[in-house]
Amino acid sequence: MNTVSTTRLALTTLLAGALAACGQAPVTPALASAMAPKPDVPREHLDAVMLGMGCFWGAERRMGALPGVIDVESGYANGEVPGTYSDVLNTERARKLGLTEKRNHAEVVKVVFDTRATNLGAVLAGFWENHDPTQGDRQGNDIGSNYRSAIYTHGDTQLRIAQATKSAFQTALAAEGYGAITTEIQPLTRYIAAEDYHQDYLVKNPDGYCGLGGTGVKFPADALAKLGGTVPTSSGPTAASAPANASPEATAARPARLVGADLDATRQLVVFEAADCAFCAKFRAEVSDGWQSPVAIVHTLDPREPEGWTLEKPLFATPTIVLFENGKEVSRYTGYNGDKARFWQWLGFRLLTEEQRRIAFDSGTERPFTGSHLDETRPGTFVDPISGAPLFRTDTKFESGTGWPSFFQPLPGAVTYHGELSLAGVMTEVRSASSGIHLGHVFHDGPPPTGKRYCINGNVLKFVPDEDVATETATTAEPVTGV
């Protein structure tokens, strides 16, 4: 039996005892197959708590990252219906239609922790910080009683600590303008492990977002110290670890809220991130670190909209890139898995005209002698209209007589080539390397020194004169950051 199975079997036995004491018939949880091996912890040092934080996929990832947590398992708890995903969804539909009054399960994660390395107070601090407990029967875009915020405990001590952490966090939330906590805190009455495909879902299905987001309010460090004390340093393999009363973010300053008056009121991108989000880091590295787009961009770890501005709906994952115009959300892009072209297409649909979109995204062609920049000869650079990346220089432009702007050479790495479309391979599609938009085609009948003719749709080029380069670079090349 592997260490995950041993750990879960021990906790199943522990929780079964707690449930039996309440007069309930426990359901043996199924073992998840995808969990990485965990330390083999003696049963006397194991404890667990059931936590509802909305969709259990993101909750599992966030809680599993806390120090001292050795296992997380998705499941269903404290309902009056059978414990399968379809049962939970069908019950919620029936409740909304008034066809049943049965209590539905909450989607929960069973958080197993080593009491030598952490304690319940620290685990619950992570719980409070990693979701919004003021939303009632919802969490972000997920709406229903199955998504309620919840703490299901075993024993009087767990119940007392849960209530104490709620009181402390309520004070912190109120100080930041949030309303009353709606978290349900009750003894655990029933628990069923979710189906295997739900376990480690975001590990097995990395869709480009990290799921969940808290309010940005930190759990008060002084309250946590009173609740938890410190871990004994004389036993266990983690004896040298940090005190249990120090959650990784408990003493960190809350990220500053963006102020709308400091941003571009006309059009502004805001990237909502989380400190431990690998997909956020990927977006920065692949897209925003080299930002040249004409649209201003700012990053923030605070989940609230900029002060004085409006989000259309709550955030539910990171990264979420929101486009604001005149202080109001007009579009959003959730998650990033490395598909740069998809991101730029999303932004392009807000920036480009219908004709530009036809060319850029449907490989269209403008009629000859109708496009922009045909007669442009000033020293300067032709750039991608969405990403702002340089494509061609004026000194490589020539008059081809075809009715389209023509160049004998792009800037290094500026374009990519796709297929041999016709005429026995003498015409090849050309796309922008940065955004992936269709630009035109390259032919092998151009002038020296390359002998190539890049026949480009002028309507998907933006021209930046050399005299504007210094100003353009100073204002758009480096992304603004709020963190």
Side-chain angles (χ1 to χ4, degrees):
M1 184 178 293
N2 62 36
T3 55
V4 174
S5 299
T6 302
T7 298
R8 288 188 172 166
L9 181 59
L11 261 296
T12 299
T13 304
L14 182 153
L15 292 173
L19 288 168
C22 297
Q24 300 291 329
V27 179
T28 303
L31 295 177
S33 60
M35 288 298 298
K38 302 293 183 180
D40 190 4
V41 179
R43 178 181 172 185
E44 62 267 24
H45 297 300
L46 290 174
D47 201 358
V49 65
M50 305 296 179
L51 303 175
M53 306 166 65
C55 176
F56 42 33
W57 297 342
E60 189 182 63
R61 169 176 283 176
R62 289 298 182 99
M63 298 309 295
L66 294 180
V69 170
I70 62 171
D71 192 23
V72 284
E73 180 181 73
S74 293
Y76 314 104
N78 279 36
E80 300 172 343
V81 298
T84 69
Y85 194 55
S86 60
D87 287 326
V88 170
L89 295 182
N90 289 337
T91 298
E92 199 59 33
R93 294 190 190 102
R95 284 171 55 87
K96 291 177 181 178
L97 293 173
L99 301 178
T100 184
E101 294 182 355
K102 285 187 176 181
R103 175 181 171 82
N104 204 358
H105 289 293
E107 288 193 17
V108 300
V109 286
K110 180 175 70 174
V111 181
V112 182
F113 55 96
D114 182 347
T115 58
R116 299 167 299 176
T118 189
N119 60 31
L120 182 62
V123 170
L124 292 180
F127 162 79
W128 294 117
E129 290 179 359
N130 278 293
H131 79 301
D132 184 347
T134 69
Q135 294 186 317
D137 286 344
R138 69 176 297 168
Q139 194 64 209
N141 290 344
D142 296 321
I143 302 173
S145 66
N146 52 315
Y147 297 118
R148 61 189 180 266
S149 174
I151 303 173
Y152 298 131
T153 63
H154 68 83
D156 293 340
T157 299
Q158 278 206 346
L159 188 61
R160 175 182 57 79
I161 292 174
Q163 294 286 5
T165 61
K166 174 187 175 182
S167 178
F169 198 61
Q170 180 66 78
T171 300
L173 284 174
E176 296 292 342
Y178 285 90
I181 288 175
T182 59
T183 302
E184 182 175 75
I185 301 178
Q186 295 179 350
L188 179 67
T189 59
R190 192 176 185 206
Y191 171 76
I192 307 100
E195 297 82 351
D196 186 70
Y197 69 87
H198 285 301
Q199 309 300 336
D200 303 297
Y201 186 87
L202 293 184
V203 175
K204 294 181 285 188
N205 300 275
D207 293 326
Y209 62 87
C210 290
L212 280 183
T215 60
V217 177
K218 300 304 178 185
F219 193 89
D222 57 345
L224 186 55
K226 292 177 183 177
L227 288 168
T230 58
V231 174
T233 58
S234 59
S235 64
T238 55
S241 60
N245 63 355
S247 67
E249 297 175 341
T251 59
R254 185 184 185 190
R257 184 178 186 180
L258 295 174
V259 178
D262 297 336
L263 304 176
D264 188 333
T266 303
R267 181 176 280 157
Q268 174 78 53
L269 281 172
V270 177
V271 184
F272 293 94
E273 300 177 312
D276 58 349
C277 177
F279 297 111
C280 301
K282 188 176 183 69
F283 180 79
R284 279 187 180 249
E286 296 184 1
V287 179
S288 66
D289 279 353
W291 193 258
Q292 295 174 294
S293 174
V295 183
I297 190 169
V298 61
H299 296 255
T300 181
L301 293 174
D302 191 295
R304 295 170 294 178
E305 67 270 31
E307 185 177 332
W309 287 15
T310 305
L311 280 171
E312 284 297 308
K313 54 188 175 183
L315 305 174
F316 75 96
T318 58
T320 296
I321 302 97
V322 178
L323 180 63
F324 291 90
E325 292 179 0
N326 299 316
K328 296 182 179 180
E329 176 185 345
V330 295
S331 187
R332 70 171 58 185
Y333 186 94
T334 300
Y336 181 74
N337 62 4
D339 190 347
K340 291 192 291 184
R342 182 168 171 264
F343 166 77
W344 289 118
Q345 182 171 349
W346 165 76
L347 184 58
F349 266 86
R350 295 297 310 185
L351 303 185
L352 304 182
T353 66
E354 182 178 354
E355 171 65 7
Q356 286 178 310
R357 294 196 297 269
R358 184 184 70 83
I359 297 169
F361 305 127
D362 296 330
S363 299
T365 301
E366 65 200 23
R367 289 184 293 112
F369 300 102
T370 63
S372 305
H373 312 302
L374 189 60
D375 300 320
E376 183 61 70
T377 59
R378 291 175 294 167
T381 304
F382 295 88
V383 304
D384 185 305
I386 309 171
S387 71
L391 298 170
F392 300 93
R393 286 284 301 168
T394 309
D395 55 13
T396 65
K397 189 172 183 286
F398 67 96
E399 176 55 58
S400 65
T402 61
W404 291 279
S406 299
F407 306 84
F408 62 77
Q409 181 174 283
L411 288 166
V415 302
T416 57
Y417 303 93
H418 301 268
E420 295 179 344
L421 302 183
S422 65
L423 301 178
V426 299
M427 180 174 116
T428 302
E429 182 189 9
V430 177
R431 299 179 192 169
S432 169
S434 62
S435 68
I437 65 170
H438 172 77
L439 297 174
H441 299 89
V442 59
F443 299 83
H444 300 281
D445 59 2
T450 65
K452 291 183 171 60
R453 171 170 59 91
Y454 289 81
C455 186
I456 305 300
N457 290 282
N459 285 331
V460 289
L461 295 176
K462 177 183 177 182
F463 181 67
V464 181
D466 280 350
E467 58 263 32
D468 294 348
V469 168
T471 301
E472 186 83 9
T473 301
T475 57
T476 67
E478 293 297 328
V480 180
T481 179
V483 298

